[in-house]
Amino acid sequence: MDRRDKSVNQGVAPVTYGQGERPPRGDYAKASADYTCEQDWAQYSAADHDTYRRLYTRQLQQLPGLACDEFIAAVQQLGAPDRIPRFVDVNQKLQPATGWQIVAVPGLIPEEAFFALLAARRFPVTDWIRKPEEFDYVVEPDVFHDLFGHVPLLFNPVFADYMQAYGAGGLKASRLDACELLARLYWYTVEFGLISTPAGLRAYGAGILSSAGELRHSVGAPEPRRVGFDLRRLMRSQYKIDTYQATYFVIDSFDQLFKATEPDFTPVYREVRAQIASHGEVAAGQVLDGEREFAIA
Ligand code: HBI
Ligand code: FE
């Protein structure tokens, strides 16, 4: 059944990931118009819970010295480590903490729908989990990536405000046709961001925190370039979706990130487009003359 049939039946079309026509993964037929669905907790098999338990256990033990303190402090809020949490249970703790809720979605959703959920402090969490044979890598975000990678920092008030501001900015970016520039901001902060601390560099990006290999690589490998967060430079920068990052952007604090999203981005998009027109985009792994670069300990 091709995607037109599905959208005819349900009003929501499945979303593919990145380039190419990889078949969308997830049951979009059960999604509402805003792309949310119910987390049918009973549908998880024993193998699903076991996959979650193994992913959680492996990642938890390697957090010290690699993940930022705010993440380590909050990850316990996800609840029992031996089975996929019920989203309602997580929300009982998350809502009072920062006003955020997690909502189930069948998988990736269109940017418009995604921004609208973030702007309303509703974080979309994919409801399916990878197969055992995908233990080390899955292309699309699954429940482990979204829950373990993204949700703990939603308990941090400043980061939670940044995520809501990002969603509000995204709705505006859609109208300015600037989604690609804004997607780079999400990619290089929310997904693959590093933060500088007195003890050294630490990961706060969900794509890093939910990856066994990239967590160590991002903070300790010699190959990647680690440059100081600069909004306009970041928005000119290309990224890779299927390898470890060649460039990581480093913030000094979540406050710095939140403040960067306070101004109206309309002039920022104009300046970035002018810089791209005159100097081109910055390739992943490229460092510009004079920019602040971080060495590893
Ligand atoms: N959909 N479910 C889901 N999760 C994401 O992280 C997500 C998405 N759709 C679009 C998207 N992320 C990115 O394009 C953001 O940069 C907008
Ligand atoms: Fe993600």
Side-chain angles (χ1 to χ4, degrees):
M1 178 156 79
D2 77 19
R3 44 195 298 174
R4 274 189 308 284
D5 296 343
K6 269 200 195 276
S7 57
V8 163
N9 296 352
Q10 301 297 336
V12 293
V15 175
T16 56
Y17 191 63
Q19 285 75 29
E21 275 305 296
R22 180 189 301 276
R25 185 160 172 177
D27 176 10
Y28 289 77
K30 65 187 180 187
S32 315
D34 65 358
Y35 276 87
T36 62
C37 60
E38 291 306 312
Q39 181 197 22
D40 176 5
W41 197 78
Q43 53 121 4
Y44 296 128
S45 66
D48 288 337
H49 288 300
D50 191 51
T51 300
Y52 178 87
R53 180 188 59 74
R54 290 167 58 225
L55 287 164
Y56 182 98
T57 309
R58 175 175 68 172
Q59 209 59 12
L60 192 75
Q61 55 84 27
Q62 68 165 345
L63 293 178
L66 298 174
C68 66
D69 291 344
E70 295 82 351
F71 180 88
I72 294 176
V75 71
Q76 313 292 342
Q77 301 273 14
L78 295 180
D82 59 349
R83 58 189 176 284
I84 297 169
R86 293 171 193 265
F87 294 0
V88 286
D89 295 347
V90 177
N91 286 336
Q92 297 250 326
K93 293 181 269 187
L94 181 59
Q95 171 80 38
T98 57
W100 275 84
Q101 292 257 336
I102 59 177
V103 287
V105 290
L108 286 167
I109 64 178
E111 292 187 329
E112 212 47 49
F114 182 70
F115 292 139
L117 289 173
L118 295 190
R121 290 190 182 245
R122 300 172 79 208
F123 189 83
V125 177
T126 298
D127 65 348
W128 53 264
I129 193 163
R130 67 193 76 180
K131 295 289 164 255
E133 56 273 20
E134 299 171 299
F135 185 70
D136 282 321
Y137 181 68
V138 61
V139 179
E140 298 87 348
D142 71 340
V143 67
F144 182 76
H145 166 86
D146 282 335
L147 210 52
F148 189 92
H150 283 287
V151 174
L153 281 183
L154 291 177
F155 281 87
N156 175 278
V158 178
F159 193 81
D161 287 349
Y162 167 66
M163 289 294 282
Q164 195 271 336
Y166 179 89
L171 289 173
K172 191 164 182 186
S174 307
R175 292 194 296 277
L176 298 167
D177 192 24
C179 283
E180 187 185 351
L181 297 181
L182 203 72
R184 288 173 174 175
L185 176 59
Y186 192 84
W187 190 268
Y188 276 122
T189 58
V190 179
E191 292 294 358
F192 292 97
L194 297 181
I195 186 166
S196 173
T197 81
L201 297 180
R202 294 290 182 269
Y204 73 89
I208 304 177
L209 290 163
S210 58
S211 157
E214 191 153 7
L215 179 51
R216 193 165 302 284
H217 177 86
S218 66
V219 172
E223 298 83 8
R225 314 308 290 267
R226 300 169 179 88
V227 297
F229 175 88
D230 171 322
L231 183 64
R232 289 159 180 75
R233 189 294 202 203
L234 182 155
M235 283 192 176
R236 281 174 57 202
S237 305
Q238 298 166 341
Y239 57 84
K240 301 170 177 278
I241 65 164
D242 49 10
T243 63
Y244 290 170
Q245 296 309 305
T247 298
Y248 295 98
F249 285 86
V250 183
I251 59 172
D252 294 315
S253 67
F254 291 142
D255 216 42
Q256 175 195 8
L257 200 49
F258 180 65
K259 285 199 171 34
T261 52
E262 274 184 330
D264 170 18
F265 275 8
T266 309
V268 175
Y269 297 139
R270 204 173 28 250
E271 288 163 40
V272 170
R273 285 184 172 124
Q275 285 171 352
I276 291 173
S278 55
H279 296 80
E281 299 198 327
V282 185
Q286 183 185 347
V287 176
L288 302 178
D289 292 345
E291 73 179 337
R292 184 182 173 198
E293 192 172 1
F294 288 74
I296 48 177

